[in-house]
Amino acid sequence: MSTGNRTVIITGANSGIGKAATLKFASEGWRVIMACRSLDAGRKAQQEIIAASGNRTVQLMQLDVSSFESIRAFCAAFRREEPRLDVLIHNAGYFNHGIKTYQFSPDGLELTFATNVFGPLLMTELLLEPLSASDDPRVLNAGSTNLKNFFDPKRAIEFDNLRGEFAGSRPYTVYKMYGDSKMALLLLTYRMAEEYRTKGIKVNAVMIPATKVSRETLGKFTGVYRIIGPLIQNLNPFSLTQDQMAACYYHICTADEFRDVTGALVDHQNRIIEPSEQESLNPLSVARELLNTRHTPPYASNPANVERMWSLSREVIDGAMSG
């Protein structure tokens, strides 16, 4: 696919994998829109990326993915200036290590789901017109190996608590909420792929494995994760660099082999992860699947879960669509 005059939006582009992906696309000649919550941090990253890539078409726009108002403003500004969008990468995510109490978005939604699930869906819906104008539009959602926790047959998304309805009676665990949000995003990936198929828009997710993070991020880990985090960072030979994941982002969003692929979860080796063949798992099967990165949990393949996540998400964003 030729990169001439092609445009990509990357959320959370000022740090981590998002910054590395911005550099990768910019180095390949793409026009990159860095969608960042902090303009100060964004400007610094923008200058570094322009200097490293020699690409002066790297632009910066303010976006808080947890805020429907911010998303509407961003998308309206983009549509006023740009008739076409070729790739949309939902990289930004909320995972605040150490938080022990419920956090909420400006719209009254649990903050993890607002940022990782509802925000990306609303943003995609508001950019359908410029995406449809591309000859090869692709959307990529950032997933996580945390999805494997759903091989536990008792694990389920708390659909009834995404506005903190049970904040006073159910304990808050940032790690569980994050994992639930990534499963929810995968469920939406499947449904979005079907909804947008007639527009030619491909929607896929990438399962991000253990990736090296900053010391600042490691310092925020709590409990057992304070011990596990540095071990994964320093001792795990399979822990990837941010540049490696950026290359994966780029491949999924540009390679001809993915031109007609939609509704897929892709691993860091660019392999499509298939659903587990077992609908109910015994403890031995669960242990086996946790060591196997080639399958998605049965929970992800359940049409009732996909439909429930889609219906709830549409209910949440429909008001924001006309707001």
Side-chain angles (χ1 to χ4, degrees):
M1 183 172 65
S2 171
T3 62
N5 297 318
R6 301 194 77 85
T7 300
V8 55
I9 292 174
I10 303 176
T11 67
N14 61 278
S15 64
I17 298 172
K19 181 180 179 182
T22 299
L23 177 58
K24 174 63 177 176
F25 275 87
S27 298
E28 296 290 343
W30 281 65
R31 183 162 171 268
V32 187
I33 308 297
M34 300 175 63
C36 302
R37 184 166 57 89
S38 168
L39 288 180
D40 289 339
R43 288 190 189 96
K44 183 175 184 295
Q46 178 190 27
Q47 292 168 1
E48 293 172 354
I49 290 165
I50 290 174
S53 67
N55 184 342
R56 304 200 64 82
T57 67
V58 178
Q59 298 185 16
L60 175 65
M61 293 178 66
Q62 199 279 332
L63 172 68
D64 179 353
V65 186
S66 73
S67 166
F68 289 168
E69 180 180 3
S70 179
I71 293 171
R72 287 195 301 267
F74 174 94
C75 293
F78 180 85
R79 292 195 308 266
R80 281 195 298 269
E81 300 294 330
E82 306 292 338
R84 192 189 79 230
L85 174 62
D86 300 290
V87 172
L88 172 59
I89 299 179
H90 294 299
N91 169 78
Y94 177 78
F95 186 11
N96 197 342
H97 299 278
I99 294 295
K100 298 180 180 179
T101 58
Y102 285 84
Q103 308 293 309
F104 297 98
S105 75
D107 305 284
L109 301 164
E110 192 283 319
L111 188 55
T112 315
F113 268 73
T115 307
N116 300 354
V117 183
F118 302 129
L121 177 59
L122 175 61
M123 188 175 177
T124 305
E125 286 281 324
L126 293 176
L127 292 174
L128 287 180
E129 184 175 348
L131 280 166
S132 298
S134 173
D135 63 348
D136 184 18
R138 307 190 195 187
V139 177
L140 184 64
N141 295 324
S144 167
T145 51
N146 201 305
L147 295 167
K148 293 197 297 180
N149 288 314
F150 278 82
F151 278 112
D152 178 352
K154 297 180 180 178
R155 183 69 177 263
I157 296 172
E158 294 183 25
F159 290 101
D160 60 347
N161 196 30
L162 300 184
R163 293 184 177 88
E165 291 92 334
F166 293 92
S169 57
R170 292 184 191 172
Y172 178 84
T173 304
V174 66
Y175 303 104
K176 181 181 184 302
M177 194 65 77
Y178 178 79
D180 286 3
S181 75
K182 290 303 180 180
M183 173 54 75
L185 187 59
L186 177 59
L187 297 176
L188 286 186
T189 298
Y190 295 151
R191 186 56 183 270
M192 291 164 72
E194 291 302 317
E195 292 288 325
Y196 308 148
R197 189 182 296 273
T198 58
K199 299 179 182 294
I201 300 171
K202 281 77 67 173
V203 185
N204 295 300
V206 57
M207 188 167 75
I208 302 173
T211 304
K212 297 184 186 301
V213 298
S214 67
R215 290 184 178 181
E216 180 182 4
T217 298
L218 285 174
K220 296 179 181 179
F221 286 17
T222 60
V224 67
Y225 294 94
R226 183 176 288 276
I227 300 173
I228 295 175
L231 289 176
I232 293 175
Q233 178 88 336
N234 299 315
L235 301 179
N236 184 356
F238 303 105
S239 183
L240 299 184
T241 66
Q242 293 165 352
D243 289 342
Q244 287 174 306
M245 279 311 307
C248 182
Y249 277 25
Y250 186 80
H251 187 81
I252 296 170
C253 292
T254 65
D256 284 342
E257 71 178 278
F258 284 100
R259 187 179 183 92
D260 298 316
V261 175
T262 191
L265 177 63
V266 185
D267 72 7
H268 65 282
Q269 294 180 315
N270 302 315
R271 302 175 301 182
I272 294 176
I273 303 173
E274 302 295 339
S276 173
E277 296 179 355
Q278 303 183 60
E279 294 186 5
S280 61
L281 302 175
N282 58 44
L284 180 60
S285 298
V286 170
R288 187 182 302 117
E289 290 289 8
L290 286 173
L291 297 174
N292 182 359
T293 61
R294 301 296 296 123
H295 293 152
T296 55
Y299 189 95
S301 306
N302 187 326
N305 294 333
V306 176
E307 181 59 32
R308 189 173 184 185
M309 192 66 245
W310 176 255
S311 297
L312 175 60
S313 299
R314 291 301 322 193
E315 176 187 328
V316 168
I317 74 161
D318 277 350
M321 291 286 293
S322 57

